[in-house]
């Protein structure tokens, strides 16, 4: 039994000695293959990197071109928008200017119309004033002529009382109205009341009554006494008389007519 064991051990050693170099050679060949593969791999990756770089450059150029195109489009859009805003602003300013011009023209026309109306009104007022002045002058001339015709040459000789005339023959003033408007306490000026010339006798209205001066007035009274002198109407026992405060002793006979 022992020789068999020794032979088996020897065979095993022999086999191990034969297998070991073979395994070492395979491992060496595997390392060499890996080394060659690693050396070949950079050479194989180099075209890939170049291609990737080219693709990246192309992509960058494309993105740059797209960005430029976008910027250009954006710039054109902004420019178009600005132009549109400028046109809108210009149109608005033009419309505002037109509105201002139109308003100014309307104001000028309105002012011209007001001036024309004012001028026409002024002309009418002047014409009316001239007509009124003419009427007043004519009336004053007429009144002055009537008053001057009734001026006495010698009043003491020409004057007559109502008793001398045969008594008063005119209307009577009611007592209540007489106390409110007549007598020494109620003086007035004849010229401020309507003056009427009837039958050559000057007359005037006062207190709701018409008075006709039937007696001449003294020649020493002023020419315009009926304009400037304060007078009053009083009733004496025989009739109504006109008194001039500048000449309190004189009295002129008058006749009353109830309207």
């Amino acid at each position: 039994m022992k020789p068999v064991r020794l032979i088996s051990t020897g065979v095993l050693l022999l086999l191990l000695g034969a297998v070991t170099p073979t395994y070492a050679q395979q491992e060496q060949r595997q390392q060499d293959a890996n080394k060659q593969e690693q050396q070949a791999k950079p050479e194989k990756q180099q075209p890939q990197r170049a291609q990737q770089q080219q693709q990246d450059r192309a992509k960058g150029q494309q993105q740059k071109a797209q960005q430029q195109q976008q910027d250009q489009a954006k710039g054109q859009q902004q420019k178009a928008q600005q132009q549109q805003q400028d046109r809108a602003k210009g149109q608005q300013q033009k419309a505002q200017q037109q509105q201002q011009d139109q308003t100014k023209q309307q104001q000028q026309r309105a002012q011209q119309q007001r001036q024309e109306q004012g001028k026409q009104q002024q002309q009418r007022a002047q014409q009316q004033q001239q007509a009124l002045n003419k009427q007043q002058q004519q009336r004053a001339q007429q009144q002055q002529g009537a008053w001057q015709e009734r001026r006495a040459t010698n009043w003491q000789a020409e004057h007559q009382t109502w008793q001398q005339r045969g008594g008063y023959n005119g209307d009577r003033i009611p007592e209540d109205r007489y106390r409110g408007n007549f007598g020494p306490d109620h003086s007035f000026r004849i010229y401020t009341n309507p003056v009427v010339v009837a039958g050559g006798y000057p007359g005037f209205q006062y207190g709701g009554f018409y008075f006709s001066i039937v007696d001449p007035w003294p020649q020493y009274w002023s020419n315009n006494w009926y304009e400037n002198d304060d007078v009053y109407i009083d009733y004496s026992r025989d009739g109504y008389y006109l008194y001039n405060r500048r000449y309190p002793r004189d009295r002129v006979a008058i006749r009353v007519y109830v309207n």
Side-chain angles (χ1 to χ4, degrees):
M1 294 303 290
K2 291 184 181 178
V4 175
R5 290 179 182 174
L6 291 174
I7 293 171
S8 298
T9 304
V11 174
L12 181 59
L13 292 174
L14 179 63
L15 288 174
L16 289 174
V19 172
T20 299
T22 302
Y23 177 78
Q25 290 176 359
Q26 290 178 353
E27 186 178 358
Q28 183 66 37
R29 284 195 299 269
Q30 183 65 35
Q31 291 178 356
D32 294 339
N34 291 338
K35 186 177 181 180
Q36 290 178 359
E37 185 179 357
Q38 290 177 358
Q39 291 177 354
K41 188 175 181 181
E43 294 177 357
K44 184 178 180 181
Q45 291 178 350
Q46 185 173 3
Q48 293 178 352
R49 286 197 300 270
Q51 184 178 2
Q52 184 66 36
Q53 291 175 356
Q54 185 177 1
Q55 291 177 355
D56 293 341
R57 284 195 299 269
K59 186 176 181 180
Q61 292 175 356
Q62 184 179 3
Q63 291 177 350
K64 184 177 180 180
Q66 290 177 351
Q67 186 64 38
Q68 290 177 351
Q69 186 176 3
Q70 291 176 357
D71 294 341
Q72 185 178 2
K74 185 176 180 181
Q76 291 177 352
Q77 184 178 3
Q78 291 177 349
K79 184 177 180 181
Q81 185 177 2
Q82 184 65 37
Q83 291 175 351
Q84 185 177 2
Q85 291 176 355
D86 293 340
R87 284 195 299 270
K89 186 177 180 180
Q91 291 175 354
Q92 184 178 5
Q93 290 177 350
K94 185 177 180 180
Q96 290 177 352
Q97 186 64 39
Q98 290 177 349
Q99 183 66 30
Q100 291 175 358
D101 295 340
Q102 185 177 3
T103 303
K104 186 176 181 180
Q105 291 176 358
Q106 291 176 351
Q107 291 176 351
Q108 290 176 350
R109 284 196 297 268
Q111 185 177 3
Q112 290 177 354
Q113 290 177 355
R114 287 194 297 270
Q115 290 177 352
E116 290 294 333
Q117 291 176 355
K119 187 176 180 181
Q120 292 176 358
Q121 291 176 355
Q122 185 177 4
Q123 290 176 351
R124 285 195 296 269
Q126 290 177 352
Q127 292 174 355
Q128 291 175 355
Q129 186 63 37
Q130 291 174 358
L132 180 62
N133 293 338
K134 187 176 180 179
Q135 291 177 357
Q136 290 177 350
Q137 290 176 358
Q138 292 176 350
R139 187 177 66 179
Q141 291 174 357
Q142 183 181 9
Q143 292 175 1
Q144 186 177 6
W147 287 112
Q148 294 303 320
E149 288 178 2
R150 298 298 299 166
R151 186 173 189 172
T153 304
N154 186 349
W155 189 71
Q156 294 297 333
E158 299 175 15
H159 165 64
Q160 289 183 341
T161 64
W162 279 113
Q163 185 177 5
Q164 292 172 337
R165 292 174 182 277
Y168 178 73
N169 57 3
D171 295 331
R172 298 279 182 172
I173 302 174
E175 185 65 23
D176 56 340
R177 298 183 65 180
Y178 180 85
R179 289 194 302 269
N181 296 285
F182 302 96
D185 296 333
H186 301 280
S187 61
F188 61 94
R189 293 187 180 183
I190 294 177
Y191 193 76
T192 60
N193 299 275
V195 177
V196 181
V197 179
Y201 292 93
F204 60 92
Q205 292 182 354
Y206 172 73
F209 300 92
Y210 175 76
F211 300 90
S212 177
I213 300 178
V214 298
D215 208 18
W217 51 276
Q219 71 277 5
Y220 47 83
W221 286 11
S222 61
N223 293 333
N224 57 355
W225 66 271
Y226 48 86
E227 295 180 0
N228 300 325
D229 293 353
D230 292 331
V231 299
Y232 65 91
I233 296 172
D234 196 11
Y235 180 79
S236 296
R237 295 180 180 179
D238 56 346
Y240 293 97
Y241 292 93
L242 178 72
Y243 291 84
N244 189 332
R245 290 196 181 278
R246 288 191 180 186
Y247 310 94
R249 295 183 179 180
D250 301 332
R251 62 180 185 174
V252 178
I254 60 176
R255 184 183 288 112
V256 180
Y257 294 93
V258 179
N259 294 335

